Each structure stands twice: as C-alpha cells, then as structure tokens.
Amino acid sequence: MGHGATRKQIVAAADDLFYRQGFDHTSFADIAKAVNISRGNFYHHFKTKDDILDAVIRNRLDRTEHMLVDWETSGATPKDRIKSYIKILLTNWSLIKDYGCPVGTLCTELAKLNHTSRAEANKVFTLFRVWLRNQFTQLGHMQEADVLALHVLSWSQGVATLGNAFDDYNYVKREVEKMCDWLDALSVKAEKAQ
Amino acid sequence: MGHGATRKQIVAAADDLFYRQGFDHTSFADIAKAVNISRGNFYHHFKTKDDILDAVIRNRLDRTEHMLVDWETSGATPKDRIKSYIKILLTNWSLIKDYGCPVGTLCTELAKLNHTSRAEANKVFTLFRVWLRNQFTQLGHMQEADVLALHVLSWSQGVATLGNAFDDYNYVKREVEKMCDWLDALSVKAEKAQ
DNA sequence: ACAATAGTAGGTCAACTGTCCTAGTGTTTC
DNA sequence: GAAACACTAGGACAGTTGACCTACTATTGT
C-alpha cells in the first residue's frame, strides 16, 4: 500500500469532501476528480471506501490531538484555552454556516448509516472531552470537571447546528460571548469556594 | 395525484426512513418495501423523490404545530410547557440515542446536500423558536424572549447530538435537569425584577 | 351501462455506485 | 542491465439508483 504524496492528497480531498458533502454522498469519482487521478487507481492506496473513511478519521484525530497539545503548551491560562475552543465557532464560521460542525455531522451521519467506524469517529468528541475536562481540573473544578466539559461540548455543538440552520452569525457571536461570560462567572465561584 | 390512504402510508414510511437512514441514503425501493407496493407505482403519487421529501417536511410541520398548539391549550403554565419541550429528550430517548434529533439531523443533511428544500426543513426549527419565544414572553421576558428561545433550542440540540454520540442516558438526564433548574432560576430573577 | 378516472404492477432505461482486473510505466535494488 | 517494486490509467463488472412507460384493474360519476 502506498504511503506517498498521492495517498496524502487522497485523504485530504476525501476529508474535505466528506465534510462538505457527507461520507455517503461522496463517491470515488468525486475524490478522483479532486485529486486528478483515475478511479481505478484507488485500489492501490485503499481497498475499500471504508478504508478511506478510517484514514480520514485517523487524520482528524491526529490533527485534533496536535492542535490541543499546541494549545496546552501555548502558555495561556486554562480559561483562555477553553475560550480558544469556544471561539472555533467564530474562526471557522465561513465553513460552519454551510456545512456545520465537522465532528458532529460525521458522527450523526455514521450513526444513521449504522457504520462500523462510528465509534472511531466519536473518539474526536472524546478527545475534546478529555482535554476540556483537563482544563477544568486545572481551573480547580475537580469533581464537576467532566460535567463541565460535556456542557461546553454540547453547548457549542448546539450553536453550530442552529447557526448552520439559521445562517445567523450574530446569534453565534452572542452565544460565544455568553459562553465566555459563563466561564468567567464559573471561575469566580471557584475562587470564592477556596 | 393520489390523496388516499396509500399516499399517507408512503409519507409515513418515508418520514420514518428519512429519520432512521437519512434522506439521501433512503431509496424508492426501501420505501416501497416498507409500504408493500411496487416501485413503479410511486410515480402516480409523487413525481420525484424531492416531492416525497416535501410531503414529509409538510407532514412534520403540521404535526409539530399541532403538538405545540396542544401544549398551549393544555392549561399548564408557560414554564411547564417549556419543560415539556425540554423533556422530549427523555421521552424520545430510545430513538434519539440511535438516530439523533429528527429536526437537526435533517437540516444538517440537507445543508450538506445543498438541497432546495433546506429552507423548508429549517421551518420546523422556526416553529419551535417562535413557540418558545412566545412562552418566554408570557413569563415576562419581553426583550430577551428570542435570545432565550434560541438558547433552549441550541442547548437541547447539542445534548441530542452528544447523547447520540456517547449513547449516555445519564448525561442527557443530568443536562435536562440542569436546563429545568436554569429555567426556574430565570423565573425567580424575572419575578425579582418586577 | 359505460365512459372517465384513480390506482397498481411490472418492467425498462441510462446513469452511477464500489469493486476489481489487466496492461503498462516509471523507479529502485542488487 | 535485469528483476522487483511502486504507481497509474482505463476499463469491465454486477448491483443499485431515480425516473419513466405501458398495460391492467378497481372505482366513480352520470
């Protein structure tokens, strides 16, 4: 199996198309056209379409983990790091408004397809969950850390879905500010409790 | 075009299959098998697959509006009515855990397909939004009513997505309780302000 | 009663799907 | 320089897709 530049191009193109069109609705022909290679050539790099999906998911897991590690070592406070996560909604807005959250929409689709790689795709959520939990722990929220992590996760997920549906940037901006305010209020409470 | 029982059966079966498998991944053959009629017979009831989708969306709009009117005239307080909405997450959990929120997942899919009926599907969200806004207005939240409505909408939407991904009933239950607590705290604040 | 209409079945059609094969072209290794 | 290998192109394949047609059977209205 190939490990060269073409393979990486295929994964990158598939990643993009799976996000913008959905996994099921993206065909070999679509990916081939994007990479500018012949259809039959795929078999040399990936035996099945599911293999491409697995490679795409692994790629997303790697990139996400890398990003989270970067944030972790950036020197900012845990609170600022959580805000970095929340603000993805704004920085990636031009994509989210058309295609939604890449993580959530893939998990949703694979759930409906009852796909084997569903659990693998969910791991991206887990990556964020564990990282967020870690940040909240560092902020002094020991017991509630996981609950708070899930809360941030579901809040931002919902804002992505509705922002996409209503195509309303102001709403997303307002919700992001509310999330940041909530985060600040939370820290004050934790400091008082000490 | 037919308006009989078969047509209703087709819409009902399509509604169910679009929810469980997704619109794009559901074929004429799937629906035909569910209704127990021949494939070719479809043309008499619906010219295209998109026509079936439109009928399904109209059906969902009707049912949703009917449900909301029922809640409105049930005699309960606005706060209890909002809680009825929130608790859909629990009453429909057995479906949500496998297929997510029917409204959100369809809107997401149609967004990716860049489908003509995307705006029509979004109207279900608008139905809930306007209704929730109305409840908050009745609770005395005049200016913020729409913001609060959107907040409830996005919160529950996120919980549905993550509940589906993690298949975690306890998490959903906890978030529902938190939403109800938040609602109660909100009312107290509004009463104080009067 | 009979003509018009609504509904149904079965099949055809071109286009597309994922998969797989074969022939051929470079590139590396000894 | 020859064998082994990585890679590519183009096409074949069986199956499925949405769409559409025609022939047949109920049902209805007058």
Side-chain angles (χ1 to χ4, degrees):
Chain A
M1 284 298 125
H3 291 279
T6 309
R7 191 193 151 95
K8 280 184 186 171
Q9 275 185 296
I10 291 175
V11 173
D15 194 332
D16 184 54
L17 287 168
F18 289 172
Y19 175 37
R20 284 180 11 225
Q21 308 187 346
F23 165 71
D24 196 60
H25 196 250
T26 299
S27 69
F28 275 71
D30 291 333
I31 306 171
K33 206 201 289 178
V35 186
N36 228 15
I37 60 170
S38 72
R39 263 163 296 122
N41 193 5
F42 270 101
Y43 194 66
H44 207 266
H45 299 278
F46 300 96
K47 279 185 205 144
T48 66
K49 196 184 173 187
D50 289 348
D51 284 348
I52 302 183
L53 176 61
D54 285 339
V56 166
I57 294 175
R58 222 169 301 135
N59 188 42
R60 290 193 187 182
L61 282 168
D62 286 348
R63 273 190 305 153
T64 305
E65 190 152 30
H66 195 265
M67 181 184 73
L68 294 177
V69 168
D70 270 5
W71 284 353
E72 192 76 39
T73 56
S74 68
T77 65
K79 205 203 288 183
D80 284 336
R81 288 178 211 152
I82 299 175
K83 286 184 182 177
S84 299
Y85 166 76
I86 294 171
K87 280 171 185 166
I88 296 180
L89 285 167
L90 299 175
T91 53
N92 288 359
W93 172 244
S94 62
L95 286 168
I96 291 172
K97 82 181 176 79
D98 287 330
Y99 316 111
C101 166
V103 188
T105 54
L106 183 64
C107 287
T108 300
E109 186 184 359
L110 296 186
K112 277 192 204 282
L113 298 180
N114 203 13
H115 196 284
T116 322
S117 302
R118 190 190 168 188
E120 206 62 21
N122 289 343
K123 282 186 185 170
V124 187
F125 265 142
T126 304
L127 227 50
F128 281 112
R129 177 185 185 169
V130 170
W131 182 85
L132 282 168
R133 185 202 298 161
N134 206 351
Q135 305 310 308
F136 279 115
T137 304
Q138 290 177 42
L139 275 175
H141 304 276
M142 308 312 281
Q143 268 187 315
E144 327 141 293
D146 191 57
V147 172
L148 292 171
L150 281 172
H151 185 63
V152 171
L153 222 50
S154 42
W155 196 347
S156 59
Q157 188 59 216
V159 171
T161 305
L162 281 160
N164 170 260
F166 289 130
D167 193 2
D168 187 342
Y169 178 72
N170 287 328
Y171 151 73
V172 175
K173 206 175 154 193
R174 218 167 41 215
E175 287 287 323
V176 166
E177 281 167 16
K178 268 164 67 176
M179 290 175 81
C180 290
D181 289 349
W182 168 83
L183 197 59
D184 290 333
L186 205 67
S187 305
V188 172
K189 259 200 291 182
E191 282 159 22
K192 276 184 188 171
Q194 277 180 348
Chain B
M1 285 299 126
H3 292 281
T6 309
R7 191 193 152 94
K8 280 184 185 170
Q9 274 185 296
I10 291 174
V11 173
D15 193 331
D16 184 53
L17 286 168
F18 289 172
Y19 175 37
R20 285 178 12 223
Q21 308 186 347
F23 165 70
D24 195 60
H25 196 251
T26 299
S27 69
F28 276 73
D30 290 334
I31 306 171
K33 207 201 290 180
V35 187
N36 228 15
I37 61 170
S38 72
R39 261 161 298 123
N41 193 4
F42 271 103
Y43 195 67
H44 208 266
H45 299 277
F46 300 97
K47 278 184 205 143
T48 65
K49 195 185 172 185
D50 290 348
D51 284 349
I52 302 184
L53 176 62
D54 284 339
V56 166
I57 293 174
R58 222 170 301 136
N59 188 42
R60 290 193 187 182
L61 281 168
D62 288 347
R63 272 189 305 153
T64 305
E65 190 152 29
H66 196 265
M67 181 184 73
L68 294 177
V69 168
D70 269 6
W71 284 352
E72 192 77 39
T73 57
S74 67
T77 65
K79 204 203 289 180
D80 285 335
R81 288 178 211 151
I82 299 174
K83 286 184 183 176
S84 299
Y85 166 77
I86 294 170
K87 281 172 185 165
I88 296 180
L89 285 167
L90 299 176
T91 53
N92 287 0
W93 171 244
S94 62
L95 286 169
I96 291 172
K97 82 182 178 81
D98 286 330
Y99 317 111
C101 167
V103 188
T105 54
L106 183 64
C107 288
T108 300
E109 185 183 359
L110 295 186
K112 278 192 204 281
L113 298 179
N114 203 15
H115 196 282
T116 323
S117 302
R118 190 190 168 187
E120 206 61 22
N122 288 343
K123 282 185 184 170
V124 186
F125 265 142
T126 305
L127 227 50
F128 281 112
R129 177 183 184 169
V130 170
W131 183 85
L132 283 168
R133 184 203 299 160
N134 207 352
Q135 306 310 309
F136 279 114
T137 306
Q138 289 177 41
L139 275 176
H141 304 275
M142 309 312 281
Q143 269 187 314
E144 327 140 293
D146 191 57
V147 171
L148 293 172
L150 280 172
H151 185 62
V152 170
L153 222 49
S154 42
W155 196 347
S156 58
Q157 188 60 215
V159 171
T161 304
L162 282 160
N164 171 260
F166 290 131
D167 192 3
D168 187 342
Y169 178 72
N170 287 328
Y171 152 73
V172 175
K173 206 174 155 193
R174 218 166 41 214
E175 288 288 324
V176 166
E177 281 167 16
K178 268 162 71 175
M179 290 175 81
C180 289
D181 288 349
W182 168 83
L183 197 60
D184 289 333
L186 205 68
S187 305
V188 171
K189 260 199 290 185
E191 282 159 21
K192 276 184 188 169
Q194 275 180 353

